[in-house]
Amino acid sequence: MPQIFSRTADSWLRAVAWGALLFAIGLFLVAFAFARSQYWDVVARTPLQPVPFSHKHHVTDDGIDCRYCHSTVETSANAGFPATHVCMTCHSQLWTNAEVLAPVRQSLAENRPILWRRVARVPDYVYFRHDIHIAKGVACVECHGRIDRMPLTYRAKAFEMKFCLDCHRDPAPHLRPRDQVYNFEWKPPPDHAALGRRLMADYHIKSPAELTSCGTCHR
Amino acid sequence: MAEHLLGYLGEFGTADALFDATKRAKADGFSCIDAFSPFPIEGMADVLALKRDHRIGWITLAGGIFGILAMLATQLFVNVDYPIEVGGRPLFAWPAFAVVDFELMILCAVLFAVIGMFVIIGLPRLHHPLFGTPRFGLASEDRFFLYIDATDPKFDRQETRSYLGSLGAWTVEPVRP
Amino acid sequence: MSGKRFWRSVEEYQRSDAFSEMLKVEFPSIFELWTVDRREVLRVMGASLALAGMSGCKPVRSDDVVPFVNRPEGLLEGRTDHYATAVLFEGHAQPVLATTSGGRPIKLDGNPEHPAFRGGSTPFMQAAILDLYDPDRSQEPLFGGHPASWADFDGQMGNWRAAWRQNQGAGLRILIGPTTSPTLLRQIAELKSALPQARVHLFDPLTGYAGEAASPLQANIANAQVIVSLDDDLLGPGPMQATNARAWGDRHGDLDGSGRMRLFMAETTPTQTGAKADRRLGIPPSRLPTLAKAIAGGGEVTLTDSELAWAREARRALETARGRSLLTVGRFAPADLHSISLQVNEALGNVGQTCEIAAPLGFVPQAGDSFLDLIRDIEARRVSALFVIGANPVYQSPGDIPFAAIYAKVPLRVHAGLHVDETAAISNWHVPLNHPLEDWSDARSPDGLATIIQPVVRPMYDSRSVHEVLAALSADEVPPTRDIVRPTWAKQIGDETAWEAALKTGFVAMAQQAEQAAAPVTSATAPAPREGEVEIVIRPDPTIHDGSFANNGWLQELPKPLFKTTWENVVAISPRLASELKIDSGDMVRVDSNARTVDGPAWVLPGQPERVVTLYLGYGRKRGGRIGTGIGYDAYRMRNAAQPWNCTGTVRSTGARTVLAATQEQHLMDGEVEGLVRTVTREHPSARREEEREQDSFYAKWPQGKPAWGMVIDLDRCIGCNACVVACQSENNVPVVGKDQVARGREMAWLRVDRYYAGDPQDPETHFEPVPCMHCEQAPCEMGCPVHATVHSPEGLNLMVYNRCIGTRTCSSYCPYKVRRFNWFDYTSDAPSPTEAQRNPDVTVRGRGVMEKCTYCIQRIEDATVQADIENRAVREGEVKTACQQACPAQAISFGNLADPESAVAKQRRSPRNYALLAEQGTRPRTTYLARIGEKSDGE
Amino acid sequence: MASRTPAIPLSETYRGITTEVARVPLQMPARVPWLIALILSLALLALFLASVTWLFARGVGIWGLNIPVNWAFAIHLYVWWLGLGHAGTLISAMLLLMGQDWRNSLNRFAEAMTVCAVICAGMEPILHLGRPWFLYWMFPYPATMGVWPQFRSPLEWDIWAVLTYLTVSVLFWYIGLVPDLATVRDRAKKRGWQVFFGIFALGWRGSARHWAVWNKTYRTIAAIAVPLVVSVHSEVSLLFASGQVPGWHSTIFPPYFVLGAAFSGFAMVAMIAIVMRHTFQLGHIVTERHLDVLAKVTLAMGLMTAYGYVFEVFDGYYSGELREIATLHDRFFGAYAWAYWGAVLCNFVPLQGLWVARIRRSPVLLFLISTSVVVGMWLERYMILVTSLYKDFLPSSFGYYHASFWDWSTYIGMLGLFMTPFLLFVRFLPSISIFEDKEVLEREKEAAAHG
């Protein structure tokens, strides 16, 4: 009886078998990594805005307070987007005929809103509220990153559920005195842990069980 | 013309014939021998002293233990990592967990056993010198073969050939690489 | 477990053979292809929610932000605002608090400030918001059915005005629907003085065509201890429903015996009032006057035993509670009964206590200006121009008046209304009117107070207010509506601050204006049936009313309180008559009267007087919009102008059969309902049962959170009006799925009102039981979910996480209460994109393949919790109101924190009447019930 | 077991067996009937694919489901398919351990049948999901949402049970197949066949060492497979028993389900055995005695299942639970009584014929009886599911279920999903265990030799 397979056949067979196995594992790893990639989380991308608005300029250089434009951040679920007239309070005086500001002037003139592209966005089945986070001493920077250093605005953190959970499971390290909430330069005191514990008590922060209950964010 | 020789393959007509032949070969002090048959021959394992091999059993046990522990660990971790009240039941609902643990135990036990088997008997091995010998194909049909390897200390190019004949082999073939 | 057996329909009572039933239903379906017409679903959704006219602006990407150019004063993004205004029902104001989000009204609730309504709702009030977004609303003027512009119309008006100025408006007639608007009344008066020859007729199909006035007796049941009602559906649909129900609620539930209201009801066809009455009597209309005489004690009358017993007791009760009792007569009863009740109440000294004699609030035409007079004049060619304003006579005229043909004889026909309806279709001109929520107006609620109607949203279409249209008849220059309405109140509300206040509170005290009190026209009493005939009673439909709500998806899909059918009207037949004629619910029957016939599906209605058949108005529309058209039968055809509510005729089966989209199944096993709805007496108030002592669980109890939310529903107060159901639907973005899906048992309502019968089908007890999610502490559903999509919150809510649900439906299989609903198809997002207009932004819109259920209005809980948390305090009692609780006019639902012993729910839970549904299942529900208080308890 | 008539006639030779079995894959006999069968099942498969496409495009609403009956065909067929599968494992595993020689002619295709059936069973729960594309949420993987599966849910148990069962059946079937693949490899004349079988035979040489290790492994797995089968269908039954629904909430469910499963399974094996032995003239290998024993086992299982029926009724009344009794009555006389009595009729009435030896040995009759059993079990699963759900607790939410066109098309199409791989198996693989039959023959010869 003649040999059916050459000597090398076995090497091939093993190669294929191992290859398949590795490929399967690799596939899983790739998927795993992709789900956590900046690409998937739309992190650090600056969409094309009608006006190249610079937080860096307005916050760091001009020292405008967040609440000047995002006026409802303490009183409403939404931080609130500045109406055109808010922009024009200043820009009717400065840069009155700067090319980049044309859309703003046009918006006011034609009474048509400016369509900004949203950068920090959660799915519609997630009910995030700004007011409560501010009230409990969670700073802008916790979710929006160093927005005061962004010439063009981008999403600084991956808004994955895990990101929210990390904080809701152990809020203490993310808390700061309420008056420091808008301060991007705030440095935690040496004994941050103690401060965290104190604020947890002062602000009546709920227990992790309550904070991670599904109904807290989903309805 | 001293081309390389791996051993001799003797062909027998019945299971009994092979059985006796193997027994005698063993008795005559051949150690590197193997028997081939279309179906397992009762007792052959004893003759070739393979009986005392319990590796499979242990491997299976290991698999089972691994499976049950792995799943139990998962279940406990899951309920510690994100404790959620479900139907007023406790976080560690042992009776409920047991079910899947059992399944995983079985799954891993079987997987281990099968993989273990192939490792032990060295399969898959598509190419084998024996396949090269003309009549070996009948080993999977109705013939029975006794193989004496050249590495056997008692092996001798002429002697062994005739020895196989004396065991009642119908044909004796050299096995070449 | 002895006790009365409960059942829900006569089929079940007679236990008709199930096997043949099965053969009928089981096997055809194998061959039947899927019949869910997606377009139907779409149509339904579209009609219910579509907001047309929004198109045209540039498309907005999902992740766009659209800020204001100038932020309006006081508007907070992500917050909702409330405006006090009113919607109309039969021309009466229903004072509401409109919730708007981002400038769009998304919900209506009773105005809590209003002294009479006190926040109570009716299904119609709740659903009115959907009419605002009705895509079939008329959007532009039509001339001869073709689009025209207001400019064209105004041009024409100019010419007509010129002519009328010449002849003082001779030949000009106005046919106006029922209205109570002081401004409109003022305008009419002004018009009459401007054009003396012009005449204004009233078209009010629900009061009568011959110009009958409503009963001069204005009941005020709040003070009544004993109410004897002769066919007066106090608790049923009507302008007074919310106020009556509120009074009812105040006088029921846990209170010392004296305060409790006692209700006698003699009804010609079963109603909610009859269902709740302590003593109910079914009586054919022809015998009603006799009964009335018996109670009035006037002369010799012959009564059946049951009638006699009832009359005696009613009489005695009235006597004993002199000054605190009330004999009230239904609006549908002949006028002479009204005079009887007037005498009786005066005799008992009730007038001024439980009722007063009030001049009508609404527009009352002068003698000789009834609808019938108009017909006469048209026939006599005395009418050259007819303006039909806010009425639909072509559809709503009685069968013995071929109005379409008569109308055609008028040279100039102008119709003004919200829809291009049957009348608009054959008018020369049709002009679109505003929805009350879109423009200024005013109206009076039945209690006499007036509400100034302020707009809560810009008009969506090119429409005008009724005031502008009317003004244009005499004035060349028509001011904006506000300037028409404002002067009406110049005297009463002088300065603007007072005006602002009036708008804020939502009502204005107003003297019962003493216009001429119309002399009651004595309409003929119900004719006695000849041999072999049955008496036919005609009533407004329980959810579609007179047909004006035909295109409202919520009301179409709302189960009728007693039948639990949807999407069509039925012919109610008494159990005896049914078995006599071998008719089963769902069989098509033909009703024949005065050579006019209608075919409709029969509904065997327990409690229906034996030889009486009831027809329901409002269906069979020919131009009722995309969902209102062509469903049900038209009962107007059976009416007589002289006797709109009763006639005699024959009924027989046509042999055909239809599938009724009923939300409660027919068949039922013996004893199944044991203990589901419980009745106790004041002597033996305990509803709890021995075997229901809470067994301790095998597992350690989870720590009870603070607050621990819970709900208690008082069955003694519930009147089964369904306001809660509609409120839930509008609050929680519950989709409308259409008749076919309902027939397949796929209705989506999170909250349902179950209806059970007990006793003799000819004269049964009727029980209502609202069933939301029970939020079990040991929820079987949660056990079943493999992905943690339905879990428990520390506050005891049974959470449903839509975005985690993969649709195994195990939860629903395990749920003993079957309160879960599943999105079998993509019900919501199939609707046109602008549907967000009405949707509640705080509630996730569920997609296909996801389970959903009552959440205790978690969005409201969260809002309150967060607000309290910001202020570092606990949530206060009463801070969270669920939509159903808020809507309930009878205060039957209470919700709150069980952990706080002082909270209303905690107190009610301690009541001996408190019991849990299926307690023996060990689910430990957070929703419990308070047993109904009856004159005899279960088992007796 | 020592029996008069040998399972394999002594006249047989090793070569005879080899050629008889190996010719099926090598020179296909009965090409035409096989082709017809294949075309038919491919047509069914197409129907299945069409139905599933439509299902995924529009949602489970295309089925007749509603609230309360939100589980029907998909779940009751899941139970049914899985039940059919069980016989395969039982025959090859349990009987192997009990040293029942007669199994050797049946186990191979019985196992194949199991594999196909389990594939179908596994499909059903996936199809019935509202959002099947999120199936993977049922597995514990590190997700960015940080949420895990819920291990208290019977559905979670099932997915693991089915997964395990599928893997184990496939492996068990395959390692049993390897030696025969070697045989066919050595018989094959065409190069293509040689390579095909050669690869799957993995170079099996029939060495005594191979046999020794193989034997141990095979028997170990067999020993594990038996409790597996029992556990799997017990878990399936828990999917119902864990709910409070009257008619489900019963402790006898696990054994009741397992027995029913074996019952329908053996019937299924009998059907397939009869068909194959007829079409491929395997009369010498699948002998009348095989049919006889199969029939006896089926009868035994049937009687035990019948006991389950009886006990369920007793249980219902004994509990004194109002609703349990009501549900029971409803099964007898309710709207779905046809399902109950249909099940009783098909399961137990024709079955009694099997007391008679002649009927047991008559292929035609046995086939008919088996068919009626398979149908009967189909009805039973339907009955258990629907009659319990459609009237549970609150009368207000009672509701009927009517199977829609797509319910049926999905089910019938799935028969194609079952038949197609099975047909390919009988066509291309030795569908009867060659070496095990030789073993039997050997043993019988010895027995004969020593008197």
Side-chain angles (χ1 to χ4, degrees), chain A residues 75-76 117-118 127 129, chain C residues 63 65 77 79 844 863 869:
Chain A
T75 50
S76 161
R117 300 302 302 276
R118 198 179 280 281
Y127 291 84
R129 302 188 59 114
Chain C
D63 59 350
V65 210
E77 287 154 72
R79 285 296 181 86
T844 307
D863 272 8
D869 206 5

Side-chain angles (χ1 to χ4, degrees), chain C residues 8 18-19 21-22 25-27 29-34 36 38 663-665 667-669 671-674 676 744-746 752 754 756 771 780 782-788 802-810 812-818 820-822 824-826 848-851 917-918 920-921 923, chain D residues 54-68 70-71 128-131 133-134 137-138 145 147-150 152-156 238-240 242-245 248 321-323 326-327 330 333-336 338 382 389 391-406 408:
Chain C
R8 281 160 314 136
F19 187 76
E21 169 84 11
M22 182 281 298
V25 295
E26 191 67 9
F27 287 112
S29 60
I30 300 170
F31 310 102
E32 148 215 354
L33 294 173
W34 70 282
V36 194
R38 298 298 279 134
T663 58
Q664 271 193 351
E665 268 299 338
H667 297 84
L668 177 59
M669 294 179 277
E672 254 305 324
V673 192
E674 282 287 345
L676 295 187
R744 288 163 181 270
R746 295 173 178 180
R752 61 173 196 264
D754 290 347
Y756 296 113
V771 183
E782 293 172 9
M783 284 291 295
C785 181
V787 292
H788 277 128
Y802 309 119
N803 47 303
R804 176 69 177 176
C805 177
I806 63 174
T808 70
R809 306 193 288 287
T810 320
S812 178
S813 292
Y814 287 3
C815 174
Y817 310 93
K818 289 288 176 283
R820 289 172 162 268
R821 298 286 176 257
F822 189 70
W824 301 101
F825 293 117
D826 202 342
R848 184 240 284 188
V850 171
M851 191 62 73
L917 208 51
L918 302 178
E920 77 279 5
Q921 292 298 313
T923 51
Chain D
W54 188 237
L55 175 72
F56 286 174
R58 292 181 23 75
V60 279
I62 66 169
W63 291 344
L65 302 169
N66 57 26
I67 306 290
N70 63 356
W71 283 354
H128 116 292
L129 288 183
R131 304 201 292 173
W133 50 92
F134 287 132
W137 283 352
M138 292 179 85
M145 54 188 141
V147 188
W148 301 95
Q150 204 272 95
R152 299 169 199 78
S153 159
L155 225 78
E156 185 69 17
L238 290 180
L239 178 57
F240 304 97
S242 309
Q244 264 134 321
V245 183
W248 284 5
E321 251 279 339
L322 203 74
R323 292 193 174 78
T327 306
D330 198 61
F333 314 112
Y336 295 91
W338 58 273
Y382 181 88
L389 270 182
K391 287 185 177 181
D392 59 347
F393 291 95
L394 301 188
S396 57
S397 49
F398 291 176
Y400 292 105
Y401 164 77
H402 316 307
S404 77
F405 169 83
W406 294 105
W408 287 105

